[in-house]
Amino acid sequence: MEQEKTTINSPLKSDPVTWVEQYADYLYRFAFSRLRDEEIARDLVQDTFLAALQQVSKFEGKSSEKTWLTGILKNKVADFYRRQASKGIAAIRTAETEQQNFFDADNGHWNIQHYPKGFGLDENNPLLVKELGGILNACLKKLPVLWFSVFSMKHIDDLASEKICVELKLTDANFWVIMHRTKLNLRACLQKHWN
């Protein structure tokens, strides 16, 4: 019985020919949920398969192929975030300028026109929840790449802030400023587009 188990998980039994059929849809959904871009998600899944094919001899079978491939894809997504973060300085400045008027400079309180409003969402109404989800996705697409990267790594991948800082080469203070500004930006966008 033990010998059979070893044979099943053996890297020699790994069949790269079946990876696309077995895992492509799952990996695509995983990538798309973090990137919100179909073309980039497809490219990273292809890169994942290529990297896995090049490293298949090192696959020890200590995890499932799906877990192994997902780990490779997570690294590809993090690499993409890092590349994009260095390009997004102008977009960050624009988003920061838009937020300057959210608070009163004298006392730090919300300005009246930007004060948070309730969404009035009936969670039992699936159509409203779906509509809000669509608006949220549109708002996420408008975020500067670095902000979206930090936000999705924290709230979609559920990574610790320390790991995100290491991955994206951020200081702890930068991380929290980005998270704060991202949440402000998302709130403003949702309130603007949600009736």
Side-chain angles (χ1 to χ4, degrees):
M1 183 85 168
E2 184 63 34
Q3 185 177 8
E4 182 179 322
K5 196 175 195 179
T6 303
T7 305
I8 291 171
N9 289 331
S10 167
L12 300 175
K13 293 292 181 182
S14 180
D15 187 6
V17 173
T18 64
W19 289 349
V20 173
E21 183 180 325
Q22 290 181 351
Y23 309 117
D25 290 340
Y26 167 79
L27 293 172
Y28 172 77
R29 286 190 305 272
F30 181 91
F32 182 76
S33 71
R34 284 145 181 86
L35 301 167
R36 307 283 188 216
D37 186 301
E38 292 178 10
E39 186 176 330
I40 294 170
R42 274 191 234 105
D43 288 347
L44 290 185
V45 170
Q46 288 176 0
D47 291 348
T48 298
F49 286 135
L50 181 59
L53 188 59
Q54 292 169 344
Q55 299 296 319
V56 72
S57 64
K58 295 180 183 177
F59 177 61
E60 297 175 355
K62 292 180 180 177
S63 64
S64 70
E65 283 181 335
K66 182 178 180 181
T67 302
W68 179 61
L69 291 168
T70 304
I72 294 170
L73 180 56
K74 282 182 180 180
N75 289 331
K76 298 287 181 192
V77 170
D79 290 343
F80 175 78
Y81 287 158
R82 276 191 290 276
R83 285 192 305 272
Q84 294 303 307
S86 63
K87 299 177 186 176
I89 302 302
I92 290 172
R93 287 192 183 123
T94 301
E96 287 175 343
T97 302
E98 291 172 0
Q99 294 175 1
Q100 283 179 343
N101 297 325
F102 281 6
F103 302 100
D104 185 300
D106 296 329
N107 61 21
H109 293 271
W110 288 98
N111 284 328
I112 294 171
Q113 67 269 28
H114 296 290
Y115 192 83
K117 300 171 189 133
F119 286 106
L121 179 65
D122 177 6
E123 294 175 11
N124 296 321
N125 186 333
L127 291 176
L128 287 178
V129 172
K130 184 177 180 179
E131 184 180 349
L132 182 61
I135 294 170
L136 177 59
N137 282 334
C139 291
L140 285 168
K141 285 181 181 180
K142 293 179 182 180
L143 289 174
V145 175
L146 178 61
W147 293 12
F148 177 75
S149 302
V150 170
F151 185 81
S152 64
M153 291 173 86
K154 180 69 176 170
H155 294 291
I156 295 174
D157 294 336
D158 202 27
L159 295 177
S161 56
E162 296 81 17
K163 180 155 176 71
I164 297 168
C165 289
V166 169
E167 288 283 328
L168 298 179
K169 297 181 173 96
L170 299 172
T171 66
D172 191 50
N174 287 351
F175 170 82
W176 290 111
V177 167
I178 290 169
M179 285 299 294
H180 175 71
R181 290 177 176 166
T182 300
K183 290 175 182 179
L184 284 176
N185 194 282
L186 286 175
R187 185 198 56 79
C189 181
L190 285 170
Q191 285 186 323
K192 180 178 179 181
H193 299 287
W194 181 257
N195 296 326

